[in-house]
Amino acid sequence: MGEWERVFLRGLAVPPPRQRGRARPPRPAAFRCVLKHLEGAALAQGAEYQLRLSLFDATYGHFFGRTWRSSRRAARVAPPRPARAAFGETVYFHTSLCHTSIAAVVEVVVTTRRGDGGSQHLSCGFGLIPLFSSRLEATDPVAKDRVLKLYHGTPRALLHPRFQHPLEKNKYLTVMEKSHLQYTLEPHQPLEKIFHLLPENLLVSGLQSVPGLLPVCGDASDCLQKPRLMKPVTCYLERLAVRLYPSLEEFEEELLDLLNRDRLLKANAALDGDGVAVRERRLHVGVHNGLCFVQAPQVAVLVLEAAQGSGAGKGGPSGAAALLPRVLPTAPSPSRRRGAGQALVLRSRIHLSEMVPHPAFRVCFQLEYVCCSSGGADGKALPGSTEAATMCSVRWAVWSPGTGEGEVVLPLRGGARRGPCQALVYRTPPSSRQGKHVESGTVQFRVSTDSGEHVVTAAEILHKDRDVSGKPPTPSLSLPAPARTAVSPRGPGLSMSQLSATLRGRDQPPGAGITHLEAALSSLDTEPCAEEPLRVLPFAPLQVPIAALGLQAGSSRRPLSRASLARLHTAGFPEILDHNQEPVEISEPVDPTSFNLRLEEADPLQGNEIILQFLAFGRDARDSAEATWPGTIFLTFQFYRFPPVTTPRLQLVSMEQVPVAGPAVPAQVLVRVNKDGTLGTGPPGLQLKYMVDPAFLRAGEQRWFLRYLAEHSLQIDVWDGDSLLLVGSAAVKLRPLLRQGREAVRTHHELEVAMTEYEPEVTVMGREALRHGALRPLGIRVALRGHLHLCLANVGHLCEETPGQLPSPLPSRSCVVPTPDGAGSVPAGSWLSLNTAGGRVSQARRLVEVDGELAAALHSRWPEARPEQRARQARDLQIIDAYREHIKGESISRMLSQAITATRTVHAVLGTAEFFEFTLKNPYGVQHTVTIEVDHPELSVILDPREWRHFKELTKSVTPVEEEMFHLRGDLRPQVYLRPNETIRIPFKYQTFSADPAVITAQGPAGLGTGADAAAHALGKSRAGQAKHIQVSFQVSGGKPIALLRVKVEPQPHVVDQTFRFYHPELTFLKKTIRLPPWHTLPGAPVGMPGGEPELFVRCSDPDIICETKNMGPGEPQDIFLKVAGGPSPQIKKFFVAIYTDAWLAAPVQIWQFYLHSLQRLDVGCTAGQLARLSLLLRGTPAPRRVRAFTSHPQELQLDPDGAFLLPANGIQELYVGVRPRRAGSRFIYLNLVDVESHQLLSSWLLCLACQQPVISKAFEISLPAGGGRGCNKRITYTNPYPSPRLYFLCTNRPDLLQFKEDSFEVAGGEVYTIGLRFAPSQDVGEEEILIHINDHEDKNEETFCVKVLYQ
């Protein structure tokens, strides 16, 4: 008997009552029941007891499911307690019968000896556990101990006709006095993920294995507590053919003869001239894990081999004619032609994606015939017949996938055998013409896999030979290759027989939705068997890669004028003082090549006070006039590993009126805005301080911090404080913060703030876009907005040792955790541990100091002693004695566990592997095989010696590496062999790719925080509230632990090297390709790596995001492909991507953060220069708000109402929008709805403009001098083509270069009007095309003139 047969017989269950199957809820309820112990006076000393659990429907008096049986446990008596039998077994199940009458019946069975030496099982009591309350919910979602009353007798009493529900109404049931069962019952949500592997109403113990599951690491005895699914594989079944013996015609002829006799017998009629016809031949194909079908079986329609080979395009019968149903006439003709080699074939191939490499997983086939009555002389099926079609299962088979591809031939089964489809199967009568011992038939097919992969069996996974090649396994995050969609066209959802059966109201079992794998009958292939799979060609994505070069960090190239320095100096910014309280002078940035790391490490002033002083913000002369200049701003950035900062709102205040040319705005001083909207009375500017003291850094992190300052840049995002729109981003190199032996440094920087806009995707050829050196900023527009004045300073301080502060270890630094040789430190509450020179001394503590509950119970009973209270005090002493006896065993067990427990603290950083070794000693004088159990997936044992050696080289560890040290069990838990009293080192690696929730909180326009109020941060402070603990157990046979390792994980913030921000329509996928720069230019990349350019690897902090990179070959650039699912507006999704240059993913060379702003999409089709009107519906919140709409292009987008207005609570307000684009093409415009009082973003829209160029009726050309001047006046004429007077409006696409004498004019019918133009001077030499739009009174374009201006 194979594994599938054993599991199949184990999972056979009694179905629930038919009355319950008519209305089932969509989601079953999952339960976890723990049967702890049985206690009572009725238990006999030494007798063996067993618990049996069944499901029962009290309304219909029906047991269903399958009875679960526990192991036998002997009863023990410990006076003064009664006899007790401890079980401690856990049962899991799920059911969709959510009704108050559904209960679990517990039966207590005792095993006794008979006189002949045998044993017999006697029922000595039972009880009912209610599953649902009156509200059809779980009885109690909180897990707590409960006591179950037991009744005398057997559960068969529940089947008595006079049984009433609930149990208390039955006067014939007698309660077993002083006997009960201790248990817990709770909902178990993790079981929902394996509903497809575990059938309903099947009780399963945590000790039983469910095919398709991996055991949870660290808890091998209960794989259902936190179930983990095995990875599925994909396979295809091709060229499927079914052959029935002795021939297909004889088999069907005899089948139809028997069905026709049965029809006449039921109708109690003689031969009536009608017959039975075969409407369809179906094949059900599904994956079965022994307990149930993993998914609903696929249904394919089989056709005759002869009909399948004939085509409609050869002048012969069409495909539909070839599929006419076979009809049994009243008198079968003996001259019917027999086709011994005829078979039933499937034209397409079957795709199975739910297969799992487990010995209990099989592919099940069921052959089904759909027959119906036929009438008339021609014997054809009557399409309008009122009789329902008969579905008859004739054969079935199961197949266990093997290794590789090839042809498979399976024998078909039939007759009185239990099959996976739970249906009666036709058996050939013994008296038939085929004989008694004729084969039932065969099913033949070919197995293939997608993309050249092979079907992996369980034996290959469990007994796979170790790879001895030198190349390490490449980590991959790519999803399995998608199924080819062009393999076989899909046909109609239901066949003719299914439609007829559905129209007649025929009941179908759950999951009977049928999807045919066949094409329509009118589109049959002429040679379907010659179908070849498509060959995958190298494909380049159509997304144009974005260069990951970031912003050009650094100051503006032009130096500040003395006038600008004087204005900033007289603004009154606070002075920056050194540790001697002396002002720090402004110096020039140091030469990038003069950095000396040794000089920094030898500096006696090891404390660094980093000061960021934001001074002013000015508009650049090259900024487009389309966007308005903000009145208030706020900044967001992240420095080193400190938390992200969102500054308060800062008002832009002009220092003095300075005449400037063009849209330029001189630097405006930043003044802090109070919460009430008034300006702060303190000094201008915003100053933030970061204290980086080696006393708070981890060991060796000082060098990391210095490398961060030398190689990285600080990216700063500037936001509009009113509209919450991004103004732009700037970056500054942090190298000037290196003091190089000086007491303090201070530098001034003028940063260029640029805005990067990603326009809609442009159509390019894939290979041309990815060609080496072909990177062009297609679809990307960078606009310079302004200049941010920033002062950087670093003040050195003497470092003082902090008492009691121990430096935490460096990430990825090797550490050997020893096994405690004695009792370790015990937490307060039981013993107070004192470590002295002579040994360890433990001081006893009073019980009232240990247990608060006991102290509360006794405190009210301890007034001053009185004679009448002595009896009460005696009772208190008895309570204390009973309490001591109760906790004695638990306390001893806890202390013994703590004696073998070692503790290791890990400071986890995103993407960085923490490596350490644990010293494990065998304390016994005999050899043992130790099983290592870890209860968290982020902590793992390093099994590959190459990976172990790699981490030891990185950490400069000198401990030895042992080859083939570990053995993997069937449940993939590592085992290691230990000789008597042997000591070895177990390598561990902790690595997390999940970002800390405190770090991943999105910064930006979602709201203004007060992160700058606590600007003086310090690294290394305790984060115990976010720490998590991981337990590692080293167990010998029998589950007995010989050592325990407790790993405390404290998450730490990480460094962000680069930031990307994307705006995308809500609830859609963002697909972007980012081109990596040359690997040697990445900060942190190793120098002089042998073998040329290394392969790069990427990992994402969000497992729901597809992030992958591919190596295109030597000398070719590497791209990162991202596919992100956007959320609802105005949600901001933040995630991180780590980039590695080593295959073992030890430490990332770069960490990028991404922001995805989800906006409501609004597509607008318009014409340049013409007004397009639309409206938006604004839905009110539960409270009324004062709101205002802001746009990123106010010159092209008109809003009504334009100012602030009241949005009523739960009401609807209409916002009118007018779009007049100035240039043709596709582009984005952002629209925000902001609460002006709380400065909160309520809604956000993304207007996707598809603007077309208007028809140009006239063209002009003029030449103007460049470099300034007074401009030039010109005139053009326009003739009104209408016979009546008309009013016209003028507009242009370049209002900065062209102004009109009058913006509107009225001209009579047929008259000529002269339009006055004034061209503004230009500073640059070049050519500009200026459009003049003449619109009517409805703002529709009448004519467009083009003026070509040559600036010379």
Side-chain angles (χ1 to χ4, degrees):
M1 182 181 296
E3 179 68 16
W4 181 85
E5 286 78 6
R6 287 193 294 267
V7 177
F8 177 72
L9 294 178
R10 187 188 71 188
L12 294 177
V14 177
R18 292 186 177 180
Q19 298 86 341
R20 294 290 187 192
R22 295 174 181 173
R24 290 191 175 185
R27 292 188 60 184
F31 292 93
R32 179 176 183 263
C33 181
V34 181
L35 305 176
K36 295 190 173 181
H37 61 267
L38 183 67
E39 184 176 329
L43 273 66
Q45 169 72 16
E48 292 185 347
Y49 291 89
Q50 184 186 51
L51 298 180
R52 300 182 180 179
L53 195 64
S54 306
L55 298 179
F56 180 70
D57 190 341
T59 301
Y60 300 101
H62 185 88
F63 284 96
F64 60 95
R66 186 179 180 89
T67 300
W68 173 84
R69 303 185 181 189
S70 71
S71 57
R72 299 189 184 120
R73 302 297 173 90
R76 298 288 185 265
V77 178
R81 296 180 180 177
R84 171 185 290 190
F87 291 91
E89 299 197 28
T90 307
V91 182
Y92 299 88
F93 63 95
H94 66 99
T95 179
S96 60
L97 305 180
C98 302
H99 195 271
T100 55
S101 63
I102 304 299
V105 179
V106 180
E107 180 183 12
V108 181
V109 177
V110 61
T111 302
T112 60
R113 300 294 178 182
R114 295 184 302 189
D116 56 357
S119 61
Q120 61 179 353
H121 305 284
L122 300 178
S123 178
C124 57
F126 70 96
L128 262 72
I129 300 178
L131 301 181
F132 300 97
S133 62
S134 58
R135 295 179 297 175
L136 300 182
E137 298 177 353
T139 53
D140 192 354
V142 181
K144 59 182 180 181
D145 288 351
R146 306 178 189 178
V147 175
L148 178 65
K149 294 189 301 182
L150 299 179
Y151 296 88
H152 286 284
T154 171
R156 296 178 182 87
L158 302 176
L159 302 178
H160 196 275
R162 295 187 179 181
F163 171 75
Q164 298 180 4
H165 183 72
L167 229 61
E168 290 73 11
K169 294 183 179 181
N170 299 272
K171 59 182 180 180
Y172 300 105
L173 295 179
T174 306
V175 178
M176 299 176 61
E177 298 294 339
K178 299 181 181 181
S179 299
H180 66 271
L181 173 66
Q182 196 88 6
Y183 76 100
T184 60
L185 179 68
E186 60 177 339
H188 192 60
Q189 190 175 3
L191 201 66
E192 295 181 1
K193 64 187 299 186
I194 64 166
F195 278 175
H196 63 290
L197 300 178
L198 187 66
E200 286 190 34
N201 309 320
L202 183 63
L203 306 175
V204 180
S205 171
L207 302 176
Q208 294 175 318
S209 61
V210 177
L213 289 187
L214 289 173
V216 176
C217 296
D219 192 5
S221 61
D222 196 346
C223 64
L224 298 178
Q225 185 175 2
K226 296 179 181 179
R228 294 189 304 159
L229 299 174
M230 297 180 67
K231 184 179 180 181
V233 295
T234 302
C235 64
Y236 297 88
L237 308 183
E238 301 174 336
R239 298 202 290 268
L240 190 145
V242 177
R243 287 180 170 80
L244 298 173
Y245 293 95
S247 68
L248 179 62
E249 285 213 16
E250 292 186 19
F251 176 85
E252 292 185 353
E253 183 177 329
E254 188 167 8
L255 173 64
L256 296 178
D257 188 12
L258 294 174
L259 290 177
N260 190 41
R261 293 180 186 178
D262 185 66
R263 179 184 67 86
L264 297 176
L265 182 62
K266 290 180 180 179
N268 194 15
L271 292 177
D272 51 4
D274 296 340
V276 179
V278 176
R279 177 67 60 88
E280 279 183 354
R281 306 165 183 87
R282 301 178 185 167
L283 185 66
H284 298 248
V285 184
V287 177
H288 200 281
N289 71 336
L291 298 177
C292 61
F293 281 101
V294 179
Q295 291 183 4
Q298 305 178 38
V299 181
V301 177
L302 302 178
V303 297
L304 298 177
E305 189 174 21
Q308 184 267 349
S310 63
K314 298 181 180 181
S318 64
L323 288 176
L324 287 177
R326 184 189 301 275
V327 181
L328 174 67
T330 305
S333 172
S335 61
R336 183 183 299 270
R337 182 178 59 88
R338 314 262 181 203
Q342 201 174 25
L344 301 176
V345 297
L346 181 64
R347 290 192 300 267
S348 60
R349 70 176 186 173
I350 297 177
H351 174 205
L352 298 177
S353 60
E354 62 271 20
M355 198 62 197
V356 170
H358 192 279
F361 268 69
R362 299 290 178 91
V363 180
C364 299
F365 304 87
Q366 182 189 11
L367 180 60
E368 181 183 66
Y369 273 67
V370 180
C371 305
C372 61
S373 299
S374 62
D378 54 355
K380 294 183 179 179
L382 299 178
S385 177
T386 57
E387 294 189 19
T390 302
M391 300 184 184
C392 178
S393 298
V394 295
R395 294 290 183 266
W396 63 277
V398 291
W399 169 61
S400 176
T403 59
E405 303 180 357
E407 299 289 339
V408 177
V409 179
L410 298 177
L412 293 175
R413 307 179 187 181
R417 288 185 179 183
R418 292 187 179 271
C421 298
Q422 301 293 335
L424 296 175
V425 181
Y426 167 75
R427 179 177 66 90
T428 304
S431 59
S432 67
R433 297 182 295 270
Q434 302 176 21
K436 294 184 179 181
H437 304 288
V438 179
E439 294 184 76
S440 297
T442 59
V443 55
Q444 182 177 356
F445 52 89
R446 184 183 182 275
V447 184
S448 66
T449 57
D450 190 32
S451 301
E453 298 176 358
H454 69 283
V455 181
V456 184
T457 62
E460 289 180 317
I461 287 186
L462 301 181
H463 305 288
K464 185 178 180 181
D465 294 333
R466 185 175 300 274
D467 184 12
V468 296
S469 63
K471 183 178 179 181
T474 301
S476 175
L477 283 182
S478 60
L479 296 178
R484 303 186 183 97
T485 58
V487 173
S488 62
R490 294 263 176 177
L494 293 174
S495 62
M496 294 180 292
S497 60
Q498 290 166 322
L499 286 173
S500 61
T502 305
L503 291 176
R504 297 183 190 100
R506 184 176 178 86
D507 293 337
Q508 294 189 6
I514 299 175
T515 303
H516 284 279
L517 301 179
E518 299 305 309
L521 300 181
S522 58
S523 60
L524 295 178
D525 277 341
T526 57
E527 294 180 359
C529 286
E531 189 178 81
E532 293 293 337
L534 295 177
R535 184 170 61 92
V536 180
L537 296 176
F539 173 73
L542 292 180
Q543 290 83 18
V544 179
I546 302 172
L549 301 178
L551 298 171
Q552 297 298 325
S555 303
S556 176
R557 291 185 177 181
R558 63 180 182 89
L560 287 178
S561 63
R562 294 185 182 271
S564 300
L565 290 175
R567 285 194 298 269
L568 293 176
H569 179 71
T570 58
F573 296 108
E575 287 287 348
I576 298 177
L577 306 177
D578 60 8
H579 70 286
N580 295 324
Q581 301 303 313
E582 296 291 337
V584 181
E585 297 182 359
I586 298 178
S587 60
E588 292 295 329
V590 297
D591 186 6
T593 61
S594 62
F595 168 65
N596 189 350
L597 181 60
R598 295 183 179 180
L599 190 60
E600 291 285 341
E601 294 178 345
D603 191 350
L605 303 178
Q606 287 294 308
N608 295 278
E609 181 184 1
I610 307 297
I611 301 175
L612 305 180
Q613 198 175 50
F614 300 95
L615 307 178
F617 185 45
R619 188 172 189 176
D620 190 83
R622 291 167 289 180
D623 184 24
S624 174
E626 298 178 356
T628 58
W629 188 246
T632 61
I633 64 171
F634 66 94
L635 312 172
T636 58
F637 60 90
Q638 181 179 358
F639 176 73
Y640 192 47
R641 297 194 295 106
F642 293 94
V645 172
T646 300
T647 68
R649 295 171 62 231
L650 303 171
Q651 182 78 33
L652 300 181
V653 179
S654 298
M655 293 178 287
E656 58 185 30
Q657 297 296 331
V658 180
V660 293
V665 176
Q668 296 175 296
V669 176
L670 302 178
V671 180
R672 185 164 178 171
V673 181
N674 298 325
K675 294 183 178 180
D676 56 356
T678 60
L679 297 181
T681 58
L686 179 66
Q687 181 171 301
L688 294 94
K689 297 182 180 180
Y690 293 91
M691 295 300 300
V692 184
D693 195 332
F696 292 99
L697 295 178
R698 292 174 287 178
E701 192 180 358
Q702 180 73 7
R703 180 183 290 262
W704 282 26
F705 176 70
L706 296 176
R707 288 187 56 188
Y708 169 77
L709 296 181
E711 299 176 354
H712 288 77
S713 302
L714 177 66
Q715 181 168 334
I716 305 170
D717 292 332
V718 183
W719 301 83
D720 190 326
D722 297 324
S723 65
L724 303 185
L725 291 168
L726 181 65
V727 178
S729 301
V732 57
K733 291 183 178 180
L734 299 176
R735 185 183 290 265
L737 290 174
L738 296 172
R739 291 184 285 109
Q740 293 291 281
R742 291 170 290 184
E743 294 183 354
V745 292
R746 178 184 176 189
T747 56
H748 186 275
H749 303 266
E750 185 180 5
L751 308 179
E752 294 181 346
V753 178
M755 178 65 178
T756 303
E757 296 182 0
Y758 300 98
E759 298 181 358
E761 299 290 347
V762 292
T763 304
V764 295
M765 297 303 293
R767 288 195 172 275
E768 178 65 21
L770 296 181
R771 182 173 55 84
H772 185 59
L775 181 61
R776 293 184 293 271
L778 298 177
I780 299 176
R781 179 173 174 265
V782 179
L784 185 61
R785 297 299 311 277
H787 296 270
L788 177 66
H789 293 266
L790 170 67
C791 185
L792 298 180
N794 184 359
V795 179
H797 292 276
L798 292 174
C799 178
E800 298 181 359
E801 294 293 337
T802 304
Q805 179 70 31
L806 297 178
S808 50
L810 176 71
S812 300
R813 181 173 296 276
S814 176
C815 179
V816 178
V817 183
T819 303
D821 52 358
S825 60
V826 183
S830 57
W831 295 95
L832 178 62
S833 300
L834 303 175
N835 295 326
T836 61
R840 196 172 53 82
V841 179
S842 297
Q843 180 180 351
R845 304 177 65 183
R846 299 172 60 190
L847 285 177
V848 292
E849 300 176 4
V850 173
D851 191 275
E853 183 180 357
L854 180 63
L858 300 179
H859 180 68
S860 60
R861 303 182 181 182
W862 279 1
E864 295 181 0
R866 297 178 182 179
E868 60 270 13
Q869 294 182 350
R870 292 181 180 178
R872 181 178 300 176
Q873 293 178 357
R875 289 195 299 269
D876 290 345
L877 293 176
Q878 293 178 359
I879 293 175
I880 295 174
D881 183 67
Y883 174 79
R884 182 184 292 111
E885 292 294 331
H886 177 71
I887 68 171
K888 182 183 296 183
E890 181 181 353
S891 300
I892 294 175
S893 175
R894 183 173 63 251
M895 292 187 63
L896 292 177
S897 176
Q898 292 171 354
I900 60 174
T901 300
T903 303
R904 160 73 173 172
T905 302
V906 171
H907 299 273
V909 180
L910 176 71
T912 302
E914 301 281 346
F915 168 75
F916 62 92
E917 294 178 332
F918 177 75
T919 304
L920 178 63
K921 180 180 180 181
N922 182 9
Y924 302 104
V926 294
Q927 65 272 12
H928 276 290
T929 299
V930 181
T931 303
I932 306 174
E933 298 182 354
V934 186
D935 63 355
H936 200 279
E938 293 179 349
L939 180 65
S940 59
V941 180
I942 299 179
L943 305 177
D944 198 316
R946 296 168 296 171
E947 183 180 6
W948 189 3
R949 190 176 296 107
H950 175 75
F951 278 100
K952 294 179 77 65
E953 292 175 357
L954 291 178
T955 56
K956 304 298 188 295
S957 178
V958 295
T959 54
V961 175
E962 185 175 345
E963 300 287 342
E964 298 185 1
M965 182 175 180
F966 301 99
H967 165 69
L968 287 182
R969 287 184 47 180
D971 52 7
L972 302 182
R973 289 182 299 167
Q975 289 183 332
V976 61
Y977 175 80
L978 284 180
R979 300 179 181 87
N981 300 319
E982 185 183 13
T983 301
I984 61 173
R985 291 181 175 87
I986 307 297
F988 284 93
K989 179 185 69 173
Y990 178 84
Q991 190 170 28
T992 178
F993 294 97
S994 301
D996 186 8
V999 176
I1000 203 171
T1001 303
Q1003 63 184 17
L1008 300 183
T1010 57
D1013 295 337
H1017 303 289
L1019 287 178
K1021 292 187 177 180
S1022 174
R1023 307 181 65 178
Q1026 302 175 2
K1028 59 183 176 182
H1029 301 275
I1030 302 176
Q1031 186 81 9
V1032 182
S1033 176
F1034 302 87
Q1035 300 178 357
V1036 296
S1037 58
K1040 182 179 180 181
I1042 62 172
L1044 297 175
L1045 174 61
R1046 187 170 180 264
V1047 180
K1048 181 182 179 181
V1049 180
E1050 294 183 356
Q1052 300 289 334
H1054 54 273
V1055 175
V1056 175
D1057 298 281
Q1058 194 164 333
T1059 301
F1060 295 87
R1061 196 178 297 272
F1062 298 105
Y1063 295 85
H1064 203 65
E1066 63 175 348
L1067 304 176
T1068 58
F1069 284 97
L1070 170 71
K1071 299 178 181 180
K1072 286 294 180 182
T1073 301
I1074 302 176
R1075 174 152 297 174
L1076 293 171
W1079 70 275
H1080 59 272
T1081 63
L1082 296 176
V1087 180
M1089 178 175 291
E1093 295 186 1
E1095 185 177 1
L1096 298 181
F1097 307 92
V1098 293
R1099 292 292 298 269
C1100 185
S1101 62
D1102 191 342
D1104 296 329
I1105 295 176
I1106 298 177
C1107 178
E1108 59 183 5
T1109 180
K1110 294 182 180 179
N1111 190 1
M1112 306 301 294
E1116 294 293 332
Q1118 291 196 26
D1119 298 332
I1120 293 179
F1121 174 73
L1122 288 175
K1123 182 179 179 181
V1124 189
S1129 174
Q1131 184 186 88
I1132 303 176
K1133 177 175 288 189
K1134 180 179 180 180
F1135 59 94
F1136 301 90
V1137 172
I1139 304 175
Y1140 300 85
T1141 56
D1142 65 304
W1144 300 112
L1145 310 184
V1149 295
Q1150 287 247 305
I1151 293 182
W1152 295 348
Q1153 71 175 352
F1154 291 82
Y1155 292 96
L1156 176 58
H1157 299 252
S1158 297
L1159 312 178
Q1160 302 180 54
R1161 178 170 182 146
L1162 187 62
D1163 294 308
V1164 180
C1166 50
T1167 304
Q1170 179 174 304
L1171 184 66
R1173 296 178 176 89
L1174 62 147
S1175 62
L1176 299 175
L1177 289 180
L1178 309 180
R1179 300 187 181 275
T1181 59
R1185 292 174 180 262
R1186 186 172 179 81
V1187 300
R1188 183 179 178 183
F1190 297 91
T1191 176
S1192 60
H1193 297 73
Q1195 304 298 329
E1196 298 182 276
L1197 204 66
Q1198 303 174 8
L1199 301 175
D1200 185 20
D1202 190 18
F1205 59 93
L1206 182 65
L1207 183 62
N1210 299 320
I1212 296 179
Q1213 178 80 19
E1214 197 166 9
L1215 178 66
Y1216 298 95
V1217 180
V1219 183
R1220 183 188 282 110
R1222 291 180 175 176
R1223 54 189 174 91
S1226 300
R1227 54 190 306 205
F1228 291 147
I1229 294 182
Y1230 309 109
L1231 179 64
N1232 282 357
L1233 184 67
V1234 182
D1235 188 329
V1236 297
E1237 296 176 350
S1238 63
H1239 298 280
Q1240 180 183 3
L1241 182 63
L1242 301 182
S1243 297
S1244 188
W1245 287 268
L1246 179 65
L1247 275 67
C1248 304
L1249 302 186
C1251 181
Q1252 61 181 357
Q1253 184 81 355
V1255 178
I1256 298 176
S1257 56
K1258 291 183 181 181
F1260 306 90
E1261 183 176 345
I1262 62 174
S1263 298
L1264 297 177
R1270 296 185 302 174
C1272 179
N1273 294 325
K1274 296 291 182 180
R1275 292 179 300 174
I1276 59 175
T1277 59
Y1278 176 73
T1279 304
N1280 182 9
Y1282 299 98
S1284 60
R1286 291 296 176 101
L1287 178 66
Y1288 294 98
F1289 295 90
L1290 299 175
C1291 62
T1292 178
N1293 66 328
R1294 293 300 302 270
D1296 56 329
L1297 298 179
L1298 174 64
Q1299 291 86 33
F1300 299 102
K1301 184 178 180 181
E1302 297 176 351
D1303 292 335
S1304 63
F1305 63 92
E1306 187 174 3
V1307 59
E1311 298 292 332
V1312 178
Y1313 182 82
T1314 302
I1315 302 174
L1317 308 177
R1318 178 172 180 80
F1319 292 90
S1322 175
Q1323 301 294 331
D1324 301 325
V1325 177
E1327 179 181 311
E1328 295 288 348
E1329 287 189 356
I1330 302 177
L1331 299 181
I1332 301 175
H1333 304 286
I1334 304 176
N1335 298 343
D1336 60 5
H1337 66 285
E1338 295 181 352
D1339 224 334
K1340 294 183 179 179
N1341 185 252
E1342 288 281 352
E1343 285 194 62
T1344 299
F1345 298 160
C1346 177
V1347 180
K1348 186 177 182 180
V1349 183
L1350 300 177
Y1351 292 97
Q1352 300 175 352

